[in-house]
Amino acid sequence: MTRPALRRLLDEIGPVDATGIEERVAKYTTRSIKKQSKVFGLKLAVTMVDLTTLEGKDTPGKVASLCRKALCPHPGDDIPRVAAVCVYPSMVKHAARHVKGSGVRIASVATAFPSGQAPLKTRLAEVRQAVADGADEIDMVINRGAFLAGELGLVQDEIAAVVEACGESTLKVILETSELETYDHIRAASFLAMRVLRPGDFIKTSTGKTSGNATLGNNQVMLDAIRDHFLDTGTEIAMKPAGGIKSAKQALQFLVAVKETLGDAWLNNTRYRFGASSLLNDLLRQLETQRSGAYQAPYTFSDDSSGY
Amino acid sequence: MIPITKTPKCYVGGSFIRSESGRVYEMRGSSGEFLANIPLCSRKDLRNAVEAAAKGGAGWAKRTPYNRAQILYRIAEMIESRAAEMSAWVPGKEVRATIDRIVHFAGWADKYEQVLGSVNPVASPHFNFTVTEPMGIVGILAPEDNPLLALMTLILPAITSGNSVVALASKNAPYPAILLGEMLAVSDLPGGVINLLTGDRAEILPTFATHEHIRALAGIATREEAVALQQGASESVKRVKLLAPDTDWYSARFESPYGIRDFVEAKTVWHPVGS
């Protein structure tokens, strides 16, 4: 059953051709990217990683180790730094000690991540605290309960309130696509968010805390939404798939989707990010394989904090 | 009735796979008749098999030696029950020798440590003992002859101690390795411990030599191949144990714990003696 408010929004923005999307993204996995193009793509993907640790067992020490990995992913002159470290709000001040001023940004999840089930006042206070502690970017979750209940106005107002609470910091809006159930819903939620976001803010697929993660399919629906929104309004919204992207091969396929949907303007880390932790070492592993000509063992690469 | 012919597939990571390249080569009978298309594995297939071996190997090394013995014995049971089918491809004598050898190593699984490990005398109040640990992933290059016995003789010492293996089977007689995979799949052996590839030696051999995650190599090599393998192995610091092409695979010398020693690392522990 589609709620009236959602029906109206879908009429306005147009529905998603699910079969078409699936067929289109299946083609992305058939591109053959070799040699210099592969190295270019792998390095680009490294610069787009939001190196993430979001666990109950995070400690200042673990975050310090994550930050060191972010600043120097692997010895060697030609390996770039990652885009950001992504931590819980209580860890922002610890991360700030290591990466502030280095060019690696600090992203913090906030708004009662991952469920978002807390009073708005609490969620906004969390955002303000994270920003005050030094977070350059805030990853918020939308109120999926309200969205599915058809209270679209409420969802949008809450996003707008968080935009305001962010101040100068960039906002990333997590739609949690696995809980939205259909591509139509993902497209609708994307538009709800984008209409109150500032240029350079992100929409993001998932928290990584549910069974469903970023897929080429939901990534494509959101990229299409960003393109349509840009063509309508001229506002450039950025995109961050998160969760489940573990291999360099997958990362390259996502980059193909960006290139073929939004073009070169989106192929940089102010417009596209990967929320991931284990992806980074696979990217490094493939880069080293390309450099040395020999397949590498995974233990050649330093573990970030996920290893202990 | 239309005859249903089988598509032979390689046993990798506990599943039956075609080559990722999609390539095959024709296997022909003694009078030149077409028998089947065998996967012609690429170096990427080898890389994937190494990933599978890494995944399956960790759990295998953690099993108790007693449990590894049970599972090895179970492999022998599974081959025994399909011995007639296997005997269509290799002499019955070879099948029996293979089963015997598996049972032999099943026996060693919970005993080799007593032979290879030691308590060392030291001039201080410490217990000092040496225990063995599996190396990790071992690459196996099987010979063209004795496609079942030689393959298993190379694999067994490595897996008995908890290593996992990626083996390239005989090119001209690949079918016993294909059948072996089907038997392993029902033998309680965890997926990824034995990975069997078929294909062209010359094509995959350099990747066996240089792949950093393969910790040791065992098998048959010509003089030129041995040079290439040693060079690649020196880059990636791996152990190489090669045998001459005229090896007698029925020899009793293969039935000893010293083959197991070739693929373990020694760990020596100092422990203070209590008062």
Side-chain angles (χ1 to χ4, degrees), chain A residues 34 285 294-295 297-299, chain B residues 47 51 210-213 215:
Chain A
K34 301 284 180 209
R285 198 177 169 194
Y295 290 125
Y299 44 71
Chain B
R47 182 194 61 179
E51 298 293 312
T210 58
H211 198 310
E212 302 257 348
H213 207 175
R215 298 315 309 139

Side-chain angles (χ1 to χ4, degrees), chain B residues 98-143:
Chain B
T98 304
I99 293 171
D100 280 356
R101 197 148 285 170
I102 297 171
V103 171
H104 180 85
F105 277 93
W108 274 117
D110 58 355
K111 299 175 191 72
Y112 72 88
E113 186 67 64
Q114 287 97 307
V115 180
L116 303 183
S118 60
V119 178
N120 314 313
V122 289
S124 63
H126 290 88
F127 290 124
N128 182 287
F129 38 84
T130 300
V131 294
T132 65
E133 290 184 339
M135 300 181 75
I137 302 165
V138 180
I140 306 279
L141 295 160

Side-chain angles (χ1 to χ4, degrees), chain A:
Chain A
M1 185 184 71
T2 309
R3 307 273 170 181
L6 190 55
R7 186 72 270 155
R8 278 197 299 279
L9 180 60
L10 283 173
D11 284 346
E12 191 184 333
I13 61 177
V16 179
D17 169 8
T19 312
I21 289 281
E22 300 287 349
E23 281 209 6
R24 182 163 180 204
V25 299
K27 295 258 166 39
Y28 292 148
T29 63
T30 64
R31 305 284 190 275
S32 180
I33 300 166
K34 301 284 180 209
K35 306 274 156 94
Q36 298 98 319
S37 332
K38 185 169 183 181
V39 171
F40 170 81
L42 291 170
K43 283 188 182 167
L44 181 63
V46 170
T47 68
M48 289 176 168
V49 168
D50 278 5
L51 198 60
T52 303
T53 182
L54 295 171
E55 286 176 32
K57 61 178 182 182
D58 288 348
T59 60
K62 267 187 73 175
V63 169
S65 145
L66 185 84
C67 291
R68 281 192 287 274
K69 179 78 175 172
L71 291 170
C72 179
H74 192 63
D77 300 332
D78 56 344
I79 304 289
R81 289 176 168 173
V82 304
V85 291
C86 182
V87 294
Y88 271 125
S90 60
M91 291 296 151
V92 169
K93 52 183 183 292
H94 301 297
R97 284 213 299 276
H98 300 280
V99 300
K100 224 27 181 193
S102 68
V104 173
R105 291 160 68 88
I106 302 169
S108 171
V109 296
T111 72
F113 180 92
S115 69
Q117 300 280 21
L120 181 62
K121 203 173 141 192
T122 319
R123 284 182 270 154
L124 292 177
E126 196 185 359
V127 171
R128 288 195 193 96
Q129 186 61 49
V131 171
D133 284 349
D136 305 301
E137 301 175 356
I138 296 292
D139 288 30
M140 71 165 287
V141 289
I142 65 163
N143 189 337
R144 281 92 74 193
F147 179 88
L148 293 171
E151 299 176 55
L152 304 191
L154 176 65
V155 176
Q156 198 162 37
D157 291 347
E158 288 185 354
I159 297 171
V162 177
V163 169
E164 205 181 315
C166 279
E168 297 290 300
S169 300
T170 303
L171 178 63
K172 307 198 194 90
V173 181
I174 305 172
L175 308 181
E176 191 58 296
T177 50
S178 65
E179 295 183 351
L180 296 183
E181 292 168 356
T182 67
Y183 283 156
D184 279 350
H185 287 178
I186 294 169
R187 183 172 168 87
S190 302
F191 271 90
L192 273 185
M194 288 190 297
R195 284 173 177 176
V196 289
L197 288 181
R198 304 157 297 185
D201 283 341
F202 285 72
I203 52 175
K204 174 175 166 185
T205 56
S206 331
T207 59
K209 296 287 180 192
T210 58
S211 55
N213 280 316
T215 62
L216 279 171
N218 55 40
N219 179 67
Q220 185 63 37
V221 172
M222 291 167 71
L223 290 177
D224 284 343
I226 289 171
R227 182 200 54 208
D228 294 348
H229 185 66
F230 172 70
L231 293 176
D232 282 352
T233 65
T235 308
E236 294 163 347
I237 301 293
M239 169 70 190
K240 174 178 171 184
I245 306 169
K246 293 192 186 316
S247 71
K249 195 174 182 179
Q250 280 176 292
L252 290 178
Q253 291 165 357
F254 277 78
L255 290 181
V256 168
V258 177
K259 166 90 179 166
E260 295 185 9
T261 310
L262 291 165
D264 290 339
W266 262 262
L267 278 181
N268 63 67
N269 68 7
T270 61
R271 298 275 176 80
Y272 200 76
R273 296 278 180 85
F274 292 105
S277 42
S278 52
L279 170 65
L280 179 59
N281 267 2
D282 199 49
L283 291 169
L284 299 173
R285 198 177 169 194
Q286 303 314 324
L287 276 169
E288 189 60 17
T289 299
Q290 292 295 316
R291 193 189 64 77
S292 69
Y295 290 125
Q296 301 293 306
Y299 44 71
T300 310
F301 303 90
S302 64
D303 247 329
D304 61 46
S305 56
S306 56
Y308 48 90

Side-chain angles (χ1 to χ4, degrees), chain B residues 208-259:
Chain B
F208 267 102
T210 58
H211 198 310
E212 302 257 348
H213 207 175
I214 299 176
R215 298 315 309 139
L217 293 173
I220 298 297
T222 62
R223 187 176 284 275
E224 296 78 49
E225 287 175 338
V227 170
L229 288 171
Q230 295 283 8
Q231 280 175 348
S234 67
E235 286 287 323
S236 49
V237 199
K238 63 170 71 85
R239 205 177 285 176
V240 182
K241 297 282 175 187
L242 298 176
L243 293 163
D246 61 352
T247 298
D248 171 19
W249 295 98
Y250 290 89
S251 164
R253 76 178 172 105
F254 289 112
E255 301 190 344
S256 98
Y258 298 113

Side-chain angles (χ1 to χ4, degrees), chain B residues 112-188:
Chain B
Y112 72 88
E113 186 67 64
Q114 287 97 307
V115 180
L116 303 183
S118 60
V119 178
N120 314 313
V122 289
S124 63
H126 290 88
F127 290 124
N128 182 287
F129 38 84
T130 300
V131 294
T132 65
E133 290 184 339
M135 300 181 75
I137 302 165
V138 180
I140 306 279
L141 295 160
E144 285 300 314
D145 59 313
N146 295 287
L148 180 66
L149 178 62
L151 179 64
M152 280 312 282
T153 300
L154 291 164
I155 288 174
L156 282 165
I159 63 167
T160 301
S161 64
N163 294 298
S164 50
V165 300
V166 178
L168 181 64
S170 163
K171 183 171 186 193
N172 294 323
Y175 207 76
I178 301 280
L179 273 184
L180 178 66
E182 293 169 13
M183 295 167 186
L184 294 174
V186 292
S187 70
D188 299 341

